[in-house]
Amino acid sequence: MKDNFYSELWKNLNWKLARKKVFRLQKRIYKAMLRKDYKQVRNLQKLLLRSRAAKFLAIRRVTQENQGKKTAGIDGKASLKFEERFALFIMLEKYGHKWKHNKLREIPIPKKDGSTRMLKVPTIADRAWQAWCKLAIEPAHEATFHERSYGFRPGRSAQDTQKLLFSNLRSSSKGHRKYIYEMDIAKCFDRIDHRHLMNRIIAPQSIKQGLWGCLKSGTNINFPEQGVPQGGVISPLLANISLNGIEDLGKCIRYADDLVFIIDPGFDEDPTKKWHKRRINQIVKSEKELIEYEVSQFLKERGLEIKPSKTRLVKATDGFDFLGWHFYVQSNNQKFRSVPSEENFKAFKEKAKAIINSSAFGARVKAKKLSSVVRGWRNYHKFCKLDGSRFSLWHMSYRAFKVFNKEKKMNKYKAKSLIQKAFPNPGWKENDHIMVKNNKSPFDGDIAYWSKRNSKLYDGVTSQALKRQDHKCEYCGLKFSDDETVELHHVDGNHNNWDKKNLVAVHRSCHHYIHMKQ
């Protein structure tokens, strides 16, 4: 009975007003930072951090919205009851400006090269504190971030880097003559220098002290002055703050700690003239050495270094892998192409194979899980050239049909129906992505631009619902201007009724509240 009381109290909070208040302050912080009015920025940050709305939104984000919301910290708590959420709010009110971080739970994660990295997970309370701080710190730094930085930033995605590479390497941009200098940073999150990072963070002093404790809670014994604990809500933002500016050292495209530099020698190679190739090699080598030196000096200040095994220079026509894609320029017609990389496709097949061959689920559950995996993979690669038989997934669907057809009480027609749901028609469009404009940010207040742009990330019935609703959430009435996922809600509760009148687009959190009331 007590939990029901707190449940009603939680879901009846005015979340719409809370989002409006926080966003209004974030917009003012962003614009003050553009003017370089640092005093005003810190005053506005303090105002935001004092607001009850920011604390409630931070708690909701880590307990309801985040993908890792059910991951337990060292205290063993994987979720909070409604009563515990209010208790956490009181903790943030009382101790937010003198927060003490708990130790981190370490989870070993295997890497592609056979080694392991430690994912260090904070407690739910620490994650809520980090989300609360991030609400104030992120808009200030968004005004300073480079336009060619795309990783872990609101309103930007990996598809933006894909489109930018297309713009630089297509035939009209003479992509066939360009070279790609791939670069990776060795143990980026584990080696970021604490003092250099703290000097760059724009935040009130009390919050900086809390962040210092956050950094120290996850340090390696051998490197006590380095490292940002992976697994925290604010960790990607701290990494972006540390690495911001590396994009100015050349024609660089950065996604988190993955970098590619585009080197253009300035003219095509003439096979009839031997000196042409030597001259191009000299220009490219000179440019590569300059970039390598400047990047090394840049990283050295931050306690980082280049990883030699992940660094190589290739011609665009030879191809290179980046963010799960393989990019190349065709030698015969000079056209740019991008397809899923070998590693990405192999990992996807293994994941799908594990679902199909699992004996723990029936065919219907397998079809539902498989549909989610296939749809996610296809959505990520929807702007690739995937017209070859290799990416048709025919063999995978045929294997699934054979397994489903063997199940008891399952005839071939029902099995075929499940396969059609698990492997929907992809409808690929090559290079149809609309790249984010220059240095635009969701905090600039251009709600119309961002709501329409975010709506274009969705296809099919979701896209149609967004257009009907003028890109507004049917439940709360706010524009889809932030990074929260859009979900479809079935009005009559029947998930088999896909009539357009029965489908409305809502925020993920709003969708959760709708079902709580039912």
Side-chain angles (χ1 to χ4, degrees), residues 164-291:
L164 185 56
L165 284 167
F166 164 74
S167 300
N168 281 278
L169 298 179
R170 58 186 172 183
S171 57
S172 60
S173 300
K174 303 290 185 181
H176 64 282
R177 74 185 185 192
K178 295 179 180 179
Y179 288 75
I180 304 298
Y181 187 29
E182 299 177 68
M183 189 179 291
D184 195 11
I185 301 170
K187 298 183 178 180
C188 178
F189 281 84
D190 297 331
R191 297 291 182 268
I192 292 175
D193 184 74
H194 290 169
R195 295 191 181 279
H196 186 276
L197 174 60
M198 295 305 299
N199 289 335
R200 294 174 63 89
I201 293 175
I202 303 164
Q205 191 60 35
S206 61
I207 297 303
K208 279 193 170 188
Q209 288 175 354
L211 287 173
W212 183 260
C214 171
L215 296 175
K216 293 302 179 184
S217 66
T219 53
N220 189 320
I221 298 174
N222 299 321
F223 301 93
E225 299 296 325
Q226 294 176 294
V228 173
Q230 296 185 56
V233 176
I234 204 169
S235 300
L237 174 61
L238 296 180
N240 274 337
I241 292 171
S242 182
L243 294 175
N244 185 45
I246 199 171
E247 301 86 357
D248 289 321
L249 303 181
K251 185 66 174 179
C252 172
I253 301 172
R254 181 173 71 85
Y255 191 94
D257 59 340
D258 292 322
L259 314 165
V260 291
F261 289 86
I262 300 173
I263 300 175
D264 186 0
F267 57 91
D268 291 330
E269 181 182 340
D270 187 348
T272 62
K273 299 178 180 178
K274 294 183 179 180
W275 65 270
H276 257 231
K277 188 172 184 178
R278 290 198 302 270
R279 180 59 181 153
I280 288 173
N281 288 339
Q282 288 174 356
I283 293 172
V284 172
K285 184 180 178 182
S286 175
E287 186 73 17
K288 171 187 173 292
E289 289 175 350
L290 178 61
I291 290 172

Side-chain angles (χ1 to χ4, degrees), residues 10 16 68 78 85 99 103 115 155 163 167 173 219-220 282 309 315 333 420 424 478 517:
W10 180 265
K16 180 178 179 179
R85 294 179 192 178
W99 193 264
K103 292 184 179 179
S115 61
K163 188 61 181 282
S167 300
S173 300
T219 53
N220 189 320
Q282 288 174 356
S309 61
K315 197 170 183 182
N333 56 15
Q420 288 174 347
L478 294 178
K517 289 183 177 182

Side-chain angles (χ1 to χ4, degrees), residues 303-470:
L304 303 169
E305 60 183 6
I306 299 170
K307 189 174 184 177
S309 61
K310 291 285 188 74
T311 301
R312 68 181 189 132
L313 179 70
V314 296
K315 197 170 183 182
T317 51
D318 296 332
F320 62 99
D321 290 348
F322 189 55
L323 301 180
W325 291 301
H326 180 70
F327 300 100
Y328 63 99
V329 177
Q330 294 177 334
S331 301
N332 54 349
N333 56 15
Q334 301 177 2
K335 286 188 176 181
F336 173 85
R337 290 287 179 261
S338 62
V339 296
S341 66
E342 289 282 350
E343 287 184 355
N344 180 277
F345 191 51
K346 183 180 177 182
F348 163 67
K349 286 196 298 182
E350 288 177 353
K351 195 172 183 179
K353 185 179 177 181
I355 295 172
I356 294 170
N357 295 335
S358 175
S359 58
F361 314 106
R364 295 185 187 280
V365 177
K366 285 182 184 180
K368 189 175 181 180
K369 289 180 175 290
L370 196 59
S371 175
S372 177
V373 171
V374 172
R375 189 182 294 110
W377 184 80
R378 279 177 165 166
N379 282 340
Y380 187 78
H381 299 292
K382 63 183 175 181
F383 301 117
C384 291
K385 185 71 172 176
L386 299 176
D387 53 358
S389 58
R390 178 167 172 254
F391 299 112
S392 68
L393 308 185
W394 183 89
H395 292 286
M396 191 183 296
S397 62
Y398 181 67
R399 169 65 183 165
F401 173 76
K402 287 175 68 177
V403 172
F404 293 176
N405 198 28
K406 288 179 181 179
E407 186 175 305
K408 293 179 181 179
K409 299 180 182 180
M410 178 74 65
N411 58 43
K412 65 179 182 180
Y413 299 106
K414 288 184 179 179
K416 188 175 181 180
S417 175
L418 288 177
I419 293 301
Q420 288 174 347
K421 290 180 180 179
F423 294 88
N425 183 28
W428 287 300
K429 293 181 180 179
E430 186 190 7
N431 297 322
D432 196 35
H433 180 69
I434 298 175
M435 196 170 67
V436 63
K437 289 182 181 178
N438 302 328
N439 254 337
K440 282 194 73 65
S441 169
F443 303 116
D444 61 11
D446 192 352
I447 296 176
Y449 169 82
W450 286 105
S451 60
K452 288 182 180 179
R453 172 178 162 75
N454 290 349
S455 299
K456 289 175 183 177
L457 301 178
Y458 299 90
D459 297 318
V461 289
T462 307
S463 177
Q464 294 169 14
L466 288 167
K467 288 176 182 177
R468 288 197 303 272
Q469 297 166 205
D470 191 27

Side-chain angles (χ1 to χ4, degrees), residues 4 39 110 300 422:
N4 288 338
K39 184 178 179 181
K300 188 176 180 181

